[in-house]
Amino acid sequence: MTVFPLPATLIEKHVSAALAEDLGDAGDITTLATIGANKQGKAAINARKAGRLAGLDVAAAAFRLVDPGISLTARATDGDILKPGDTLLEVSGPVRAILSAERVALNFLGHLSGIASATSHLVEAIEGTGAKIVCTRKTLPGLRAFQKHAVRCGGGYNHRFGLYDAVMIKDNHIAANGSITNALRAAKKELGHMVKIEIEVDRLDQLEEALKERADVIMLDNMAPDMLREAVTLAKGKAVLEASGNITIETVREVAETGVDVISSGWITHSAPNLDLGLDYLDT
Amino acid sequence: MTVFPLPATLIEKHVSAALAEDLGDAGDITTLATIGANKQGKAAINARKAGRLAGLDVAAAAFRLVDPGISLTARATDGDILKPGDTLLEVSGPVRAILSAERVALNFLGHLSGIASATSHLVEAIEGTGAKIVCTRKTLPGLRAFQKHAVRCGGGYNHRFGLYDAVMIKDNHIAANGSITNALRAAKKELGHMVKIEIEVDRLDQLEEALKERADVIMLDNMAPDMLREAVTLAKGKAVLEASGNITIETVREVAETGVDVISSGWITHSAPNLDLGLDYLDT
Amino acid sequence: MTVFPLPATLIEKHVSAALAEDLGDAGDITTLATIGANKQGKAAINARKAGRLAGLDVAAAAFRLVDPGISLTARATDGDILKPGDTLLEVSGPVRAILSAERVALNFLGHLSGIASATSHLVEAIEGTGAKIVCTRKTLPGLRAFQKHAVRCGGGYNHRFGLYDAVMIKDNHIAANGSITNALRAAKKELGHMVKIEIEVDRLDQLEEALKERADVIMLDNMAPDMLREAVTLAKGKAVLEASGNITIETVREVAETGVDVISSGWITHSAPNLDLGLDYLDT
Amino acid sequence: MTVFPLPATLIEKHVSAALAEDLGDAGDITTLATIGANKQGKAAINARKAGRLAGLDVAAAAFRLVDPGISLTARATDGDILKPGDTLLEVSGPVRAILSAERVALNFLGHLSGIASATSHLVEAIEGTGAKIVCTRKTLPGLRAFQKHAVRCGGGYNHRFGLYDAVMIKDNHIAANGSITNALRAAKKELGHMVKIEIEVDRLDQLEEALKERADVIMLDNMAPDMLREAVTLAKGKAVLEASGNITIETVREVAETGVDVISSGWITHSAPNLDLGLDYLDT
Amino acid sequence: MTVFPLPATLIEKHVSAALAEDLGDAGDITTLATIGANKQGKAAINARKAGRLAGLDVAAAAFRLVDPGISLTARATDGDILKPGDTLLEVSGPVRAILSAERVALNFLGHLSGIASATSHLVEAIEGTGAKIVCTRKTLPGLRAFQKHAVRCGGGYNHRFGLYDAVMIKDNHIAANGSITNALRAAKKELGHMVKIEIEVDRLDQLEEALKERADVIMLDNMAPDMLREAVTLAKGKAVLEASGNITIETVREVAETGVDVISSGWITHSAPNLDLGLDYLDT
Amino acid sequence: MTVFPLPATLIEKHVSAALAEDLGDAGDITTLATIGANKQGKAAINARKAGRLAGLDVAAAAFRLVDPGISLTARATDGDILKPGDTLLEVSGPVRAILSAERVALNFLGHLSGIASATSHLVEAIEGTGAKIVCTRKTLPGLRAFQKHAVRCGGGYNHRFGLYDAVMIKDNHIAANGSITNALRAAKKELGHMVKIEIEVDRLDQLEEALKERADVIMLDNMAPDMLREAVTLAKGKAVLEASGNITIETVREVAETGVDVISSGWITHSAPNLDLGLDYLDT
């Protein structure tokens, strides 16, 4: 899988907002008061812990938007495996600008690399099984495009981006329609031919009903490995099967080995801890 | 300490953006295709795990902004201690609107309550020591006001909100000025009388220099408990002392018992895991 | 097929912008100078020509956003068939507000109903064939969500909303990959399980190649009816077939009768003429 | 008449919004998945049909905003007469960027050139009569500045841009004031010296009343050619006369030959069909 | 002359921005820390000095946007003459909200009433002469619509609102065209029939040239009263005459008595001092 | 004291908005109609009156944002003392762009330099006393960051920027808490360690109470010089003392000589007159 770059306009919009959040109306008063406008310097962002890189273009944008005169040299690429001490980005130019952009750059980079790292742990845990790790809509408000990008940097795939780009029929939708059959027929009747339709099932008889109505994807919600295996036996090749619910690094391989196609995790976007990274100033 | 409400205009701006992120141009196509416009329903947001509540007004706004006709009944308040099963918010009205707003509401509520819960663990761990837990600028881009609010819901206090509202002199600022003395004098000379000045020190001789120049706050960076105790002996009553660096639930009490005034943690905002909450539909 | 409401926040955002475009900084100077603030009145939006209604909520929002005190009574619903003289919306309240909102309301309503009407002509022309009319990305910048909604009001379906929600592999993508096979494999390998994949073909051998690689949807570009029929024979049931290229009211039925599933038209969104509607003031 | 460039900041704002509408959070997933980041290419936007060019700077901005590294060579200028096959713009650079910007560029260019072409047909039809074709406020929401620019590209002139920049007194304003005389006096008394005042009349006695009160411009609403000629006899040289109502390519010359100064058409902005243009990729 | 209300959407947009500027991310920390959420109170905005009122709706919006639950009673209207002690607006509701909105409300009200007051002094000084006081484009960035409104509240009229709504030909435009005649002909040839054309002249021969070309308005720049009188003799009834340059309360009547139609002042918008107003809390 | 540059992103945001306010949808129609696109020219912004410079970067941004091809040479720096005739900025490039940006550039520059000049008069009047002049929150809505910057250019210091970055306890906050002691304790208990706390007092016994509770800053509201002197005797060295209320150029030195630390003036931001500056075109 390739890592896709984030749209440049998305990066600029969110990094500008983050800089405004940190600089406010008065700016970086510490730096303005203690560092001269002409002082030049050099620094590098280095990994402090092992992990997976995500957000380097975003971090670079933070420096560039504070001062287009800063010069930036990337020493790594999104998706790279990081060892402690690895240099990711070198920056040189006015010290004021470097100091003022530092925290915004690190906040993006540490958070996104944390997600990439968490994802990569799950991906590595299921290596060879053929299953894919995917993210969910359990993302942090305003950061979804960035978090979904980070998941890909960690070797995961993206589920739908929002309520708008694919159908996911859950128990309430089913209940309101009386049956899985009715709910799937309603979705197919109402929506265009470019929309994939997924439905959530808890039991194997529901799975059979969903297969009969040719759902594109079936989410097997919180099923134990044995039931997942039965589901795979029933459905393999007829629909994409997605296992979901309480996926952890300890349980993920067992789930993957049942033969499901896709395993989804909310944890990698809503709870992955920050990856430890820092900016080190270099003597010049 | 009281929990302050977030400014209403901040809530509206961020929740609207989060809804736009989730609904896109096509809206909640699953719900539109499978649920009738007139179907009414009732649901409740319930805690699945124990923790501390933050973001209830934000979650409520998600429902209200999707449909002002939804009726909302708060069953808890930000800052409340939660047990599994506690009901936080009851919503009733058009099922379409409830389903379309659900994820945005839960994404805010789970994230912010996660921060409040993580904060409260540190706060409880140091109970009786007189020290305070504070957050940092290591927040997730675009969410700082919300995260700082959540820290207060967990019993913590806020450090500065950004680069603009207080001075924090770090090693690079000191180096550029030649000495702690020079850096502090520069800050005092340049800035107005309403700005607090903090300086970061690694050693006790630096602490003495900072005290001589009457820094308002001194950050003791990554000092071991013994050195912190010495610092307290030297400085107590002359400046506010802030301990910082690798604070964990295991180490925080030992740090607090050294007598420092304030203990700062980046972890509570950049790495606190989501608190498990869910929306349960009620038969009507 | 049901008509879905547009997200309320989308309506408000675009109608506010349209009002700002028309009112500028000085406001409706004609009305301010010649109509007193207290003058009340009543008016109705009526169809002048036959057609299909789209955009009634949008038109209503124009009046409501200029003055929340205007009272509005809808006499029709999006998707309704209109005869000349039919009343769509009654407004009453301050005359100043009615006059100031009138043009924005009519500009939206006439344009969107024009699209719905044009779509409905194509839909009616192919009645009974089982094919569906769909729109494209050939929309007017900034109005896509509204135009896609209008297509549904006319009985058409939506194709993908943008570059982001489905794959459409065209000749350039194929050329860059060396073959249809390679292009389809690349898309499947790179993208998640919730994304439908369509590919454009000009010849029947390409169609066979696309079927072998299990494209979800195949666009038959500019094929004559005979070739379309052959394509249907080859592919029916194996992939959704979309006919595209120079679809007109004269040719559409012949195309539909070949047995294709979907017929796409750029004309309905980029060139449909305005439906004639007007606001008539009522004596009170 | 010269074609004026659109303000650069207007172009950037609207093209950015159009790109965001098309790219969403995930970007051009087809291109990202099937075209390598380093692949370079070359393409040209060519006219497929005869017409009049409008929007070239806008189309160029679409490519530039997706990737500032794209190189652009204009082969025509807004206002140019186009023959089928004419090249308008050459683009070269990363193929990903060319493909991602293509549709937004063409959507603007085809729409605006459609308006310019429709306008030029009316302008040519009245050549030699001394009358001018002007547009109205019947524009598509959010696109008014662009559409008004396109009218000029087709040889037409602009009427007022909105409710804010000139007075247009219609029947309702007259009715509320009791008479044309009162309405005109109210407008003159209330408004500054830089505002032109137009009034709409249906009959010749109204025209005489409006002339007596020295209206700057008088709109002759839906008058037959004979009545228009009488109006010209009465008013020529005393006020600018504008003919309005159901102007078509068939009727426009007869109207112009009555001697009116200005003929306004809503059709050229709300109903002009798209001009057929396309992007052709060149082997390199 | 009537005072027109500002468009409600303009008020909301600018007052929201002003509140965000004052409240920031943390809100009104003084009030949050010292006043309970439930405390109710009552206050009145009173004039401290004599003057003319402008901006009451804007001030009211500040309170309403902080808390829709505040109740507001207007005791005056824009354009009213104020004596010291006059009550303008009564507010009652949560004390927190009153205190948090107070400064934004007063900042708008004091500034706009300052402009209205300064304008009214000029207007009163020329009473009976038949001349009108008008403002210019010398306004404070971002506040133009509000300042132009305040000028009307003081009895003045508005000149053009921006570069977009009327023509003003100055010396550089004349120089670039070789002569006044050429410049005026260029403007008439290029622009539509709804645009008024003003030209600036320094000498009487220029005035005659401008009259010959039928400029709508002629600005007599920095002419002494004697020359203004000659200009009036030459031009009265043929064009609107505007006197401009160093207008003060001492000189304005002499200028008005020359017979010019309009006198423009930059001072009333760029330099008018604040009108002293205050919020007084009432015991309840 | 050093003059700090304004954050570049703040400048761009506000100057873009100001240009949009002046250019509207139609642009600078006078210049477009009378000046050719290729005409090049040169001009300089010169001081017409003596004063203090503020806003040069902002003025430069106006030209650059209209046309990045304009070349700009600064001949002065913010904070410089200006004599009549001094050149501040030279601009050369397309005449259209120079003319279109001129007014926005001058409106910012004249207003901000007016504030800097007014501030510098107060600063010079108290030279040698050791007191500092500071501004308040009595600023013009939307321009606060720019006005606070201008105050520094005039040699003044900034008070808090908004309600969010420092505490200012006024009579209403005190009344709601029952006493100065209670109010100060509430603020200290509720708020973090990085927030300075100021309290307003009218009498000396209140001052003593505030000192006892260790307020950081005490505002002496509207006290006569004798009482100020007593306050200084009581409080010097224990808290920062701020004199406030009706500060004028005539009274400021007497106040400063009482020994207070800080003197605040609302007048310098809400009422300072524009500094006279102009753009002069140079023959080329």
Side-chain angles (χ1 to χ4, degrees), chain F:
Chain F
M1 198 191 58
T2 315
V3 168
F4 299 159
L6 280 157
T9 46
L10 260 192
I11 292 178
E12 184 155 336
K13 181 180 151 194
H14 282 80
V15 175
S16 294
L19 288 169
E21 188 186 53
D22 203 25
L23 289 167
D25 273 1
D28 180 358
I29 53 176
T30 307
T31 296
L32 290 168
T34 61
I35 309 275
N38 298 321
K39 193 170 174 59
Q40 302 293 308
K42 217 168 155 171
I45 296 186
N46 297 316
R48 305 254 189 272
K49 293 275 167 64
R52 198 62 76 97
L53 179 61
L56 198 67
D57 292 349
V58 188
F63 293 102
R64 200 183 54 239
L65 286 169
V66 167
D67 188 337
I70 286 185
S71 97
L72 299 161
T73 311
R75 295 286 177 212
T77 324
D78 273 15
D80 281 2
I81 295 174
L82 304 179
K83 302 183 307 297
D86 281 357
T87 293
L88 314 178
L89 183 71
E90 289 170 5
V91 301
S92 66
V95 174
R96 276 189 176 174
I98 297 174
L99 286 160
S100 297
E102 172 183 347
R103 178 57 30 225
V104 167
L106 293 176
N107 283 349
F108 271 112
L109 204 58
H111 177 59
L112 298 180
S113 299
I115 290 173
S117 303
T119 305
S120 72
H121 297 152
L122 294 182
V123 170
E124 285 155 16
I126 64 166
E127 220 191 318
T129 63
K132 292 175 178 177
I133 298 298
V134 302
C135 52
T136 67
R137 282 171 48 246
K138 296 180 180 175
T139 57
L140 301 185
L143 294 169
R144 188 172 287 170
F146 293 83
Q147 295 192 317
K148 296 246 169 197
H149 167 78
V151 166
R152 289 183 63 92
C153 294
Y157 285 81
N158 294 150
H159 208 292
R160 60 176 179 164
F161 266 66
L163 293 164
Y164 55 85
D165 61 335
V167 165
M168 165 73 89
I169 300 172
K170 301 196 180 180
D171 44 6
N172 283 84
H173 304 104
I174 296 170
N177 284 271
S179 72
I180 282 177
T181 302
N182 291 349
L184 282 167
R185 288 183 185 176
K188 291 202 173 173
K189 175 170 153 264
E190 294 293 348
L191 297 168
H193 64 302
M194 295 305 285
V195 174
K196 282 237 176 140
I197 296 179
E198 178 164 4
I199 191 160
E200 183 182 308
V201 303
D202 303 312
R203 303 185 318 264
L204 296 180
D205 62 309
Q206 290 178 314
L207 170 62
E208 292 184 276
E209 190 177 350
L211 286 171
K212 209 171 301 167
E213 292 298 320
R214 294 157 139 282
D216 296 304
V217 185
I218 301 172
M219 179 195 277
L220 308 165
D221 194 36
N222 268 316
M223 291 187 182
D226 282 351
M227 204 195 276
L228 286 175
R229 250 182 304 271
E230 285 187 70
V232 171
T233 307
L234 278 167
K236 196 72 178 189
K238 297 182 194 148
V240 173
L241 292 181
E242 175 181 340
S244 172
N246 297 317
I247 302 302
T248 67
I249 189 71
E250 287 78 22
T251 62
V252 69
R253 182 152 193 107
E254 190 181 5
V255 171
E257 288 177 341
T258 63
V260 296
D261 302 290
V262 165
I263 302 170
S264 58
S265 161
W267 190 85
I268 53 175
T269 49
H270 68 47
S271 296
N274 190 66
L275 182 71
D276 197 3
L277 304 153
L279 185 75
D280 297 308
Y281 290 86
L282 311 172
D283 292 329
T284 44

Side-chain angles (χ1 to χ4, degrees), chain A residues 2 152 157 189-190 242, chain C residues 2 152 157 189-190 193:
Chain A
T2 316
R152 288 184 64 91
Y157 284 81
K189 174 168 154 269
E190 294 293 348
E242 174 180 343
Chain C
T2 316
R152 288 184 64 93
Y157 285 81
K189 175 169 153 268
E190 295 292 349
H193 65 301

Side-chain angles (χ1 to χ4, degrees), chain A residues 32-258:
Chain A
L32 290 168
T34 61
I35 310 275
N38 298 321
K39 191 169 176 62
Q40 302 292 308
K42 217 168 155 171
I45 296 185
N46 298 316
R48 305 256 189 269
K49 292 276 168 63
R52 197 63 76 97
L53 179 61
L56 197 68
D57 292 350
V58 188
F63 293 101
R64 201 183 54 239
L65 286 168
V66 167
D67 187 337
I70 286 186
S71 99
L72 299 161
T73 311
R75 294 285 176 213
T77 324
D78 274 15
D80 281 2
I81 295 174
L82 304 179
K83 302 183 308 297
D86 282 356
T87 292
L88 314 178
L89 182 71
E90 289 170 5
V91 301
S92 66
V95 174
R96 276 190 176 174
I98 298 174
L99 285 161
S100 297
E102 172 183 347
R103 178 58 28 226
V104 167
L106 292 177
N107 283 350
F108 271 111
L109 205 58
H111 177 59
L112 297 179
S113 298
I115 290 174
S117 304
T119 304
S120 73
H121 296 153
L122 294 182
V123 170
E124 285 155 18
I126 65 167
E127 220 193 320
T129 63
K132 291 174 178 179
I133 298 298
V134 302
C135 52
T136 67
R137 281 171 49 247
K138 296 180 179 174
T139 58
L140 301 185
L143 293 169
R144 188 172 287 171
F146 293 83
Q147 294 192 318
K148 295 246 169 197
H149 167 76
V151 166
R152 288 184 64 91
C153 294
Y157 284 81
N158 295 151
H159 207 292
R160 60 176 179 163
F161 266 65
L163 294 164
Y164 54 84
D165 61 334
V167 165
M168 166 72 87
I169 300 172
K170 301 197 179 179
D171 45 6
N172 283 83
H173 304 104
I174 296 170
N177 283 272
S179 71
I180 282 178
T181 302
N182 291 350
L184 281 167
R185 288 184 184 176
K188 291 203 171 172
K189 174 168 154 269
E190 294 293 348
L191 296 169
H193 64 301
M194 295 305 285
V195 174
K196 283 237 175 138
I197 296 178
E198 178 164 3
I199 192 160
E200 182 183 308
V201 303
D202 303 314
R203 304 186 316 263
L204 296 181
D205 62 309
Q206 291 177 313
L207 170 62
E208 292 183 279
E209 190 177 349
L211 286 172
K212 209 172 301 168
E213 292 299 319
R214 292 153 141 287
D216 295 304
V217 185
I218 300 171
M219 180 195 277
L220 308 165
D221 193 36
N222 268 316
M223 291 187 182
D226 281 352
M227 204 194 275
L228 286 174
R229 250 182 305 269
E230 285 187 70
V232 170
T233 308
L234 280 167
K236 196 73 179 185
K238 297 182 192 147
V240 173
L241 292 182
E242 174 180 343
S244 173
N246 298 316
I247 302 301
T248 66
I249 191 72
E250 286 78 24
T251 62
V252 68
R253 183 154 192 106
E254 190 180 5
V255 171
E257 288 178 340
T258 62

Side-chain angles (χ1 to χ4, degrees), chain E:
Chain E
M1 197 191 58
T2 316
V3 168
F4 299 159
L6 279 158
T9 45
L10 261 192
I11 292 177
E12 184 156 335
K13 181 180 150 191
H14 282 80
V15 175
S16 294
L19 288 169
E21 187 185 52
D22 203 26
L23 289 166
D25 273 1
D28 180 358
I29 51 176
T30 307
T31 296
L32 291 168
T34 61
I35 310 274
N38 299 323
K39 192 172 175 57
Q40 303 291 309
K42 214 168 158 174
I45 296 185
N46 298 317
R48 305 255 189 270
K49 292 277 166 62
R52 198 63 77 95
L53 178 61
L56 197 69
D57 291 350
V58 188
F63 292 101
R64 200 183 54 239
L65 286 168
V66 166
D67 188 336
I70 286 185
S71 99
L72 299 160
T73 311
R75 294 285 177 214
T77 324
D78 274 14
D80 281 2
I81 295 173
L82 304 179
K83 301 183 309 296
D86 281 358
T87 292
L88 315 178
L89 183 71
E90 289 170 4
V91 300
S92 66
V95 175
R96 276 190 176 174
I98 298 174
L99 285 161
S100 297
E102 169 184 349
R103 178 58 28 225
V104 167
L106 293 177
N107 283 349
F108 271 111
L109 205 58
H111 177 59
L112 298 179
S113 298
I115 290 174
S117 303
T119 304
S120 72
H121 297 153
L122 294 182
V123 169
E124 286 154 18
I126 65 167
E127 219 192 319
T129 63
K132 292 174 179 177
I133 298 297
V134 302
C135 52
T136 67
R137 283 171 46 247
K138 295 180 179 174
T139 57
L140 300 186
L143 293 169
R144 188 171 286 170
F146 293 82
Q147 294 192 317
K148 296 245 168 198
H149 168 76
V151 166
R152 289 183 63 94
C153 294
Y157 285 81
N158 294 151
H159 207 292
R160 60 176 178 163
F161 266 65
L163 293 164
Y164 54 84
D165 62 335
V167 165
M168 166 72 87
I169 300 172
K170 301 198 178 178
D171 44 5
N172 283 85
H173 303 106
I174 296 170
N177 284 271
S179 72
I180 280 177
T181 302
N182 291 349
L184 282 167
R185 289 185 183 174
K188 292 203 171 173
K189 175 168 152 269
E190 294 294 346
L191 296 168
H193 65 302
M194 294 306 284
V195 174
K196 281 239 176 138
I197 296 179
E198 176 164 6
I199 192 161
E200 180 183 309
V201 304
D202 303 313
R203 304 186 317 263
L204 296 181
D205 61 309
Q206 290 178 317
L207 170 61
E208 293 185 276
E209 192 178 347
L211 286 171
K212 209 170 303 167
E213 292 299 319
R214 295 158 132 285
D216 296 304
V217 185
I218 300 173
M219 178 195 279
L220 307 165
D221 193 36
N222 267 315
M223 290 187 182
D226 282 351
M227 205 195 272
L228 286 174
R229 251 182 303 272
E230 285 187 70
V232 170
T233 309
L234 279 167
K236 197 73 180 185
K238 297 181 193 149
V240 173
L241 292 181
E242 174 181 341
S244 172
N246 298 315
I247 302 302
T248 66
I249 191 71
E250 287 80 23
T251 63
V252 69
R253 183 151 194 109
E254 188 179 7
V255 171
E257 289 178 339
T258 63
V260 295
D261 303 290
V262 165
I263 301 171
S264 56
S265 161
W267 191 85
I268 54 177
T269 49
H270 68 45
S271 296
N274 190 67
L275 183 70
D276 197 3
L277 305 151
L279 185 76
D280 298 308
Y281 290 85
L282 312 171
D283 291 329
T284 45

Side-chain angles (χ1 to χ4, degrees), chain C:
Chain C
M1 197 191 57
T2 316
V3 169
F4 298 158
L6 280 158
T9 46
L10 260 193
I11 292 178
E12 184 155 336
K13 181 181 152 192
H14 282 80
V15 175
S16 294
L19 288 169
E21 187 185 54
D22 203 25
L23 289 166
D25 273 1
D28 180 357
I29 53 176
T30 307
T31 297
L32 291 167
T34 62
I35 310 276
N38 298 323
K39 193 172 174 60
Q40 302 292 309
K42 215 167 157 174
I45 296 185
N46 298 316
R48 304 257 188 269
K49 293 275 166 62
R52 197 63 75 97
L53 179 62
L56 198 67
D57 292 348
V58 188
F63 293 102
R64 200 184 55 238
L65 287 168
V66 166
D67 188 337
I70 287 184
S71 98
L72 299 161
T73 312
R75 294 287 177 213
T77 325
D78 274 14
D80 281 3
I81 295 173
L82 304 179
K83 301 183 309 295
D86 281 357
T87 293
L88 316 177
L89 182 72
E90 290 170 4
V91 300
S92 66
V95 175
R96 276 189 176 174
I98 297 175
L99 285 161
S100 297
E102 169 183 349
R103 178 56 32 223
V104 167
L106 292 176
N107 284 349
F108 270 111
L109 205 58
H111 178 59
L112 298 180
S113 298
I115 290 174
S117 304
T119 303
S120 72
H121 297 152
L122 294 182
V123 170
E124 286 155 17
I126 65 167
E127 219 192 319
T129 63
K132 292 174 178 177
I133 298 297
V134 301
C135 52
T136 67
R137 283 171 47 247
K138 296 180 179 176
T139 58
L140 300 185
L143 293 168
R144 189 172 286 170
F146 293 83
Q147 294 192 317
K148 296 244 168 198
H149 168 77
V151 166
R152 288 184 64 93
C153 294
Y157 285 81
N158 294 151
H159 207 293
R160 61 176 178 163
F161 266 65
L163 293 164
Y164 55 85
D165 62 335
V167 166
M168 165 72 87
I169 300 173
K170 301 197 179 179
D171 43 7
N172 283 86
H173 303 106
I174 296 170
N177 284 272
S179 72
I180 281 177
T181 303
N182 291 350
L184 282 167
R185 289 184 183 176
K188 292 203 170 172
K189 175 169 153 268
E190 295 292 349
L191 297 168
H193 65 301
M194 295 306 284
V195 174
K196 282 237 176 140
I197 296 179
E198 175 163 6
I199 191 161
E200 181 182 310
V201 303
D202 303 313
R203 303 186 318 264
L204 297 181
D205 62 309
Q206 290 178 314
L207 170 61
E208 293 184 278
E209 192 177 347
L211 286 171
K212 208 169 302 167
E213 292 298 320
R214 294 154 133 289
D216 295 304
V217 185
I218 301 173
M219 179 194 279
L220 307 165
D221 193 38
N222 267 315
M223 290 187 182
D226 282 352
M227 206 194 273
L228 286 175
R229 250 182 303 270
E230 285 187 70
V232 171
T233 308
L234 279 167
K236 198 70 179 187
K238 298 181 193 150
V240 173
L241 292 181
E242 174 181 342
S244 172
N246 298 314
I247 301 302
T248 67
I249 190 73
E250 287 79 22
T251 62
V252 68
R253 184 154 192 104
E254 190 181 5
V255 171
E257 289 177 340
T258 63
V260 294
D261 303 288
V262 165
I263 301 170
S264 57
S265 162
W267 190 86
I268 54 177
T269 48
H270 68 47
S271 296
N274 190 66
L275 183 70
D276 198 2
L277 305 152
L279 184 77
D280 298 308
Y281 290 85
L282 312 173
D283 291 328
T284 45

